[in-house]
Amino acid sequence: MNPISAGRLIAAVLVLPMLGFAACAAPPDTRAAMEMKDGHDGMSHPPPGDAVPGVPTEAGGMTYKIGITNFVFDKGAIIVPVGATVTWVNEDDIPHNIVAKDLKSFHSHALDTNDAFSFTFTKAGEFGYFCGLHPKMTGKIIVKAS
């Protein structure tokens, strides 16, 4: 190997990893700003006060939406009144499903992208759930009497 080729090889070995790192990793403040701009910080949090705004239904109840994105239910735990309907929407590009932790209260089929599953909670209690295809994905519905 001649000295010029060796010099280019050394430069490539030293510079390319730095360029790759700079291209892949935004500074923490920039990354946080981008995540917050989308309204999702990569974590599953209940909203302030644990209350989730519902949408009135024709039957006089309320519907609450939980999105599924990047292998996360977008609300880790929500509080809803008895009679509320919760609708899970798969916004991911792979299938997910919804399974009650007790394995009997509710269970969806596999939801493809943009498919939804709804369940109306008729009694008070805490209802844990998970994705049967990806069991590390979990959430909780807390149903309170009015």
Side-chain angles (χ1 to χ4, degrees):
M1 181 178 287
N2 68 41
I4 293 173
S5 296
R8 287 183 184 159
L9 178 61
I10 291 170
V13 169
L14 295 175
V15 173
L16 289 178
M18 289 187 287
L19 291 176
F21 179 76
C24 295
D29 293 338
T30 305
R31 191 171 58 247
M34 290 186 304
E35 290 167 346
M36 293 308 291
K37 179 185 82 174
D38 294 335
H40 184 60
D41 65 0
M43 301 296 288
S44 183
H45 299 286
D50 293 333
V52 176
V55 176
T57 63
E58 291 180 18
M62 298 291 276
T63 296
Y64 299 80
K65 177 187 175 247
I66 296 176
I68 305 167
T69 307
N70 296 322
F71 291 87
V72 175
F73 295 109
D74 69 2
K75 295 169 185 71
I78 62 171
I79 298 173
V80 300
V82 170
T85 299
V86 175
T87 299
W88 291 264
V89 179
N90 184 6
E91 298 166 349
D92 231 340
D93 59 355
I94 63 159
H96 295 288
N97 70 349
I98 313 304
V99 180
K101 191 174 180 181
D102 67 8
L103 303 178
K104 59 184 177 180
S105 298
F106 51 90
H107 187 285
S108 76
H109 62 283
L111 304 175
D112 285 326
T113 303
N114 296 321
D115 283 351
F117 168 72
S118 296
F119 184 80
T120 301
F121 291 87
T122 58
K123 62 181 181 177
E126 290 190 14
F127 301 86
Y129 64 90
F130 62 95
C131 173
L133 304 172
H134 311 100
K136 290 187 178 188
M137 295 173 56
T138 63
K140 184 188 301 187
I141 309 297
I142 302 164
V143 183
K144 295 203 171 193
S146 309

